[in-house]
Amino acid sequence: MLKKSFFVIVFVLIFLLSGCGIKAKKVKDPFISIKEQLDKLESYTATAIVELYNNKIGNKFSVVQFYKKGKFRLEVLEESGSPDKIIVYDGKRSYVYFAKVNQVFVAENTEEIPLYSLITSFIKNYINSGGEIEKREMDKFYLITVPILDKNIFMYKEQMAFSKEDLTPKELTIFDINNEIFSKITYKDYKYNPEINDKLFTKDSVTTLAGNLLDSPVIEIDAKEVYKYCGINPVMPVYLPQGFKLLNVLVNVNENNGVTFVYTLGKNLMEIFETVVDQNEIVNEKGFLLSEGVYYKEKDNGEKEYTTMVNGIQIKITVTGDLSEEEILKVIKSLR
């Protein structure tokens, strides 16, 4: 009888331990997920706010970045939003347009090209750094520190901060040989693997801002193509704030098959995201009722978001920059 009870107890213990093993799922290492995203990066767009601290003298400027399969375009902007210089690399040569002298020069990795601000520059150092990689975790970020391959006394190592929310690059800090900050680059409106028009990477495009190069007469918006991917007929604004141009149309099959129309003017960005949702879901949006049918909230990163419904489609307009509330309401009213 005692022997039988012993086997019963052993059986119960094995069953309980097996059950615990089934419930315990191994959480994927976030650093592995970050590496996988970087390995699969074929294109991206972002605005980089670059701060330089060389010789204790601060200098700050914006760089609008476009990257696609080894080609890149950098638009270095003055505070007014007008170009200081435009750099285009077509896969073979770099062309630099200097607005102050209105001339184009052929250049190869000169100091006039802020290549260190590119996310792909960090990726190259990360992949080829061997075992010299430091990884650590903070409240809101995962940090990866790697040596710079072509290091000098000013740019010796770099540290990228990735958001814990979506593992996207948020901030790159470059340290000098004395471990003091040489530069800090903050990435805004980062888009992972978007479709980018190849004409942005041509020699002929180097004297023109992307926002002006890819305006609506040049880009054919085919509603039938959007319907094929999203299952919706998108609405388009009849009214746009002065100077804004259509930069890109992005389809996200992973987010309710939504479509995003990206409009830019210098450092100002307006994204119109459209998707089909339950009519009642908009009531649950965080924020407050701004006007009839329009909800407003300010996001943690300072972006402004307006939400409404048009023809059964939920519209989210995200604004980065100085666009006024009055202008956005005019855009919403003009959606057709």
Side-chain angles (χ1 to χ4, degrees), residues 35-59:
K35 181 67 164 54
E36 289 174 350
Q37 281 199 30
L38 296 180
D39 287 340
K40 295 175 183 178
L41 180 72
E42 294 189 347
S43 65
Y44 83 84
T45 62
T47 298
I49 309 300
V50 181
E51 298 174 79
L52 297 176
Y53 301 97
N54 191 19
N55 296 325
K56 309 299 182 183
I57 300 175
N59 184 24

Side-chain angles (χ1 to χ4, degrees), residues 159-191:
Q159 180 183 85
M160 183 73 83
F162 295 86
S163 167
K164 280 190 173 182
E165 185 177 340
D166 55 10
L167 305 183
T168 57
K170 290 297 183 182
E171 189 174 273
L172 178 66
T173 305
I174 298 176
F175 299 91
D176 65 18
I177 197 168
N178 297 315
N179 207 35
E180 294 185 353
I181 296 177
F182 166 75
S183 180
K184 184 173 287 186
I185 300 103
T186 305
Y187 299 101
K188 300 172 60 180
D189 46 84
Y190 171 81
K191 300 295 181 185

